[in-house]
Amino acid sequence: MNRSSVAVAEAWADFRKFLPAIELAGARTVSLPDGRSVISGWYLLRFHDDSYYVGESVDLSRRIAQHVARWGDVVTARLLPLVASKHELKRHERILTRELEALGVPLRNVINADITTGRDALDDLLSTVEQDRWLADPRTYNAADTTPLKPMTAQEIRYSNQAHRYHTKPDAAEVTALLRTFVESSVPAPRATEFQYWSVSTGTYGGKRRLCVSVGTMEVFVVRDDLTGFLNVRRSLLVPTGEAERAFGRRHPRARLQHSDYDDADGDVISIHCPNLDTLQGILDDPEVTAAAARLTLDVMRKHCCTYTRNHCPQVVAAVYPEHRRQTPSHYDIERAPVEPSQPTPMPPDTTTSGDSGSTDDLLTAPEPDDLGDIVCYWLVMPGSKKSGRNQLRDFLARGEWRMAPHPRFEAKVADMLPGERIAVRTRRNTGGDEIPFDRRGNLVSVMDFHLTGTITANPGDGCSVEVAWDPAPPRPRSYFLYTNQDAVWTLARGLHPIWDDVIGFVFDGKPQQNIDALRNHRFWADRFGDR
């Protein structure tokens, strides 16, 4: 390792006012010098090979101890203490990582760094020599690979509805051919690396995406249902200069370059947006484009495995490689019953749609559910309408299941429900009743009433139902005020937004609603319910 990088890193840390280095070589425990039990801030670790790691934590002592136990070759730690929110700590961590990487210091960071030093998650499958061989000529290498398609029976069952819908589109063959062009030119040994290192979903974002190929924590190739799409590539390889951008524009006049920002490819990625399939085909026929796409894909795969395997649809991959059969049959050709048309429900002004309140305010803006990745989800669902008489609370309890009428918008979400995850049945109403815990000043208030909670025990993969072990029903529903949603299926997760944490705590942990005052004084409700 070049010792000059150590001098550069230490000088940068001095400039950034990190505290003096704490010697940790051979340490089994970590004790910070000022004696306080909890200190938040940022830290800089140096390892035996003179690589570095930049991180943040609300508890620096505990976090560094975890790193010492995990890696075992930490030499020193330097701290930059600051009392700050988790959001601010993570935001500034990204800035610090970019600065240090720009100075040429080798980093072990996976997130925020372009290249991860001393780590190669792909090496379990392809040696670095094989990776280099692939990168030199991806198409030739992939053409010589004889790996069969992996058996994925459970995953095929879960996504049979989405796969059926994908294959019944009139232009499915053209889209599938385009996907094959991409994976053969830009994904190393695609049949061998499928699922663990890359995934392809279909029908996500409320059905707006025909397909999305993901590696690591980022999307790399997307075709929307209107047949527009985009490809992410290494900017430094494709368009490092203004003249290179102009040359690209002359080759592909209908494609549009857009600077993008992904944690897994921080600082060196650009998106190529295309208005139709012909333009997408044109950029995938351009060897300069596919070389930049291949470099990005390989770099991210070397960092870590794909986090979006939860949404992977193996039937789409099977269509890409019809000459390679899986060991178990695909299910996308199963005869499907016609989908019952559903009537759209009017959305009252106090009702949020999935993860989107219609406001850009931090209090209400929550992540898109399709961005959740492989984390534990919590499911808030609706019963059938009283008018239909089907799928009522009594039916759920009697049958040990939750069920909805077939609905294309929500089938993918139902198929995504996993055994062990928690589920709750709620209804939504507008009320002027006496139960409102604040002065409504004559206005109606939006309320979610929670009737049942339970734990998912099995998913049959029909996109309409799951088996549930229901908890004992409460004597009366518990009511959550103002922040409401009437989607048939609403996906939440802990740790991503305070308002989601509050809803989950209320529904599944029995906690009181904590945010009523903040919500009623929010500009969305303040004129009706806020303090005067």
Side-chain angles (χ1 to χ4, degrees):
M1 184 70 65
N2 187 348
R3 296 292 299 180
S4 64
S5 67
V6 175
V8 170
E10 298 302 325
W12 171 84
D14 291 339
F15 173 76
R16 274 297 188 176
K17 298 184 172 18
F18 279 77
L19 297 178
I22 303 169
E23 296 291 334
L24 294 176
R28 295 187 178 182
T29 61
V30 175
S31 178
L32 298 184
D34 64 2
R36 287 181 292 170
S37 59
V38 176
I39 308 174
S40 64
W42 301 272
Y43 56 91
L44 177 67
L45 304 181
R46 180 168 71 88
F47 299 89
H48 280 295
D49 62 0
D50 294 334
S51 62
Y52 283 81
Y53 183 94
V54 180
E56 56 77 24
S57 179
V58 295
D59 186 345
L60 289 173
S61 180
R62 180 181 178 184
R63 184 62 175 150
I64 293 173
Q66 290 172 340
H67 284 310
V68 169
R70 174 188 174 191
W71 276 316
D73 62 339
V74 182
V75 177
T76 62
R78 298 188 63 172
L79 310 181
L80 182 57
L82 183 72
V83 177
S85 67
K86 187 70 172 178
H87 175 78
E88 181 63 19
L89 291 171
K90 292 188 74 65
R91 186 186 70 82
H92 203 63
E93 177 195 30
R94 170 183 262 180
I95 295 171
L96 296 175
T97 305
R98 285 181 173 183
E99 285 183 356
L100 196 55
E101 185 175 45
L103 295 173
V105 175
L107 297 179
R108 291 194 183 186
N109 289 66
V110 171
I111 302 298
N112 297 324
D114 292 339
I115 307 296
T116 302
T117 299
R119 177 185 176 93
D120 189 345
L122 189 57
D123 190 49
D124 290 341
L125 185 65
L126 296 176
S127 69
T128 53
V129 173
E130 291 299 302
Q131 293 173 33
D132 290 341
R133 283 186 55 215
W134 172 82
L135 193 61
D137 190 351
R139 294 179 190 273
T140 300
Y141 185 98
N142 286 344
D145 181 31
T146 58
T147 304
L149 289 171
K150 305 168 187 175
M152 295 187 189
T153 304
Q155 197 76 4
E156 288 179 321
I157 293 172
R158 290 177 62 207
Y159 287 93
S160 58
N161 279 343
Q162 293 93 308
H164 175 75
R165 197 168 292 118
Y166 174 90
H167 284 283
T168 54
K169 300 279 186 178
D171 39 30
E174 291 82 354
V175 173
T176 302
L178 198 67
L179 177 59
R180 176 158 185 156
T181 300
F182 169 75
V183 297
E184 285 295 302
S185 64
S186 305
V187 176
R191 294 183 299 283
T193 54
E194 180 198 1
F195 193 73
Q196 184 177 358
Y197 292 97
W198 69 278
S199 69
V200 58
S201 60
T202 181
T204 54
Y205 282 79
K208 294 178 181 178
R209 285 190 169 180
R210 184 71 60 88
L211 62 84
C212 175
V213 178
S214 300
V215 295
T217 64
M218 68 177 293
E219 57 202 5
V220 289
F221 180 55
V222 170
V223 179
R224 303 184 186 92
D225 205 46
D226 62 2
L227 303 184
T228 63
F230 64 90
L231 174 70
N232 284 322
V233 303
R234 281 292 187 207
R235 179 186 178 189
S236 58
L237 290 182
L238 182 64
V239 286
T241 65
E243 177 53 39
E245 286 196 24
R246 290 188 288 273
F248 175 87
R250 290 190 292 270
R251 296 198 308 274
H252 306 285
R254 301 202 63 187
R256 175 174 56 87
L257 295 174
Q258 178 176 308
H259 297 281
S260 299
D261 197 10
Y262 294 88
D263 285 344
D264 260 351
D266 229 39
D268 187 15
V269 63
I270 197 163
S271 297
I272 308 171
H273 289 259
C274 301
N276 51 46
L277 292 183
D278 288 342
T279 307
L280 282 167
Q281 185 66 60
I283 65 171
L284 290 175
D285 289 338
D286 185 333
E288 293 184 21
V289 171
T290 54
R295 179 79 258 184
L296 174 63
T297 301
L298 181 61
D299 288 343
V300 175
M301 283 185 174
R302 282 173 166 170
K303 287 185 175 186
H304 53 159
C305 296
C306 182
T307 63
Y308 291 105
T309 56
R310 180 186 191 113
N311 300 321
H312 182 61
C313 185
Q315 292 94 321
V316 174
V317 182
V320 169
Y321 293 107
E323 70 274 26
H324 296 273
R325 295 188 62 84
R326 294 196 189 275
Q327 295 181 26
T328 53
S330 296
H331 292 263
Y332 61 78
D333 54 354
I334 293 178
E335 188 69 27
R336 294 279 162 197
V339 175
E340 297 178 10
S342 61
Q343 297 299 319
T345 305
M347 299 296 285
D350 291 354
T351 303
T352 175
T353 56
S354 298
D356 181 8
S357 67
S359 167
T360 58
D361 191 285
D362 284 346
L363 176 64
L364 299 184
T365 304
E368 286 290 339
D370 286 320
D371 296 336
L372 296 181
D374 283 342
I375 61 178
V376 175
C377 293
Y378 294 80
W379 305 94
L380 307 187
V381 297
M382 297 282 279
S385 67
K386 290 184 178 179
K387 183 178 179 180
S388 72
R390 298 192 301 270
N391 301 327
Q392 301 297 297
L393 298 175
R394 61 180 181 274
D395 302 323
F396 301 154
L397 289 170
R399 299 171 185 167
E401 67 172 12
W402 171 81
R403 179 177 294 276
M404 70 172 188
H407 194 306
R409 180 182 172 195
F410 299 112
E411 286 174 1
K413 295 179 182 294
V414 177
D416 209 28
M417 295 178 178
L418 296 180
E421 292 181 330
R422 297 282 279 159
I423 187 171
V425 181
R426 92 283 193 208
T427 53
R428 202 210 66 84
R429 61 191 168 96
N430 292 322
T431 183
D434 294 336
E435 78 272 27
I436 307 302
F438 51 85
D439 184 2
R440 63 183 181 86
R441 301 204 289 268
N443 297 294
L444 295 178
V445 177
S446 180
V447 180
M448 286 190 299
D449 292 324
F450 288 89
H451 305 270
L452 293 173
T453 60
T455 302
I456 298 168
T457 58
N459 189 328
D462 58 7
C464 300
S465 70
V466 287
E467 297 176 21
V468 181
W470 294 110
D471 303 326
R476 61 181 59 87
R478 298 182 69 223
S479 299
Y480 195 91
F481 301 97
L482 295 179
Y483 186 78
T484 65
N485 176 294
Q486 60 184 14
D487 284 354
V489 181
W490 189 18
T491 316
L492 303 180
R494 293 188 194 266
L496 296 181
H497 195 278
I499 202 164
W500 281 9
D501 289 341
D502 194 70
V503 174
I504 293 170
F506 176 86
V507 177
F508 298 103
D509 301 334
K511 297 180 180 178
Q513 184 175 354
Q514 304 282 353
N515 57 13
I516 291 179
D517 288 341
L519 291 175
R520 64 184 181 82
N521 285 292
H522 182 271
R523 61 184 175 83
F524 191 63
W525 292 285
D527 60 337
R528 289 168 286 167
F529 313 121
D531 296 329
R532 291 177 171 175

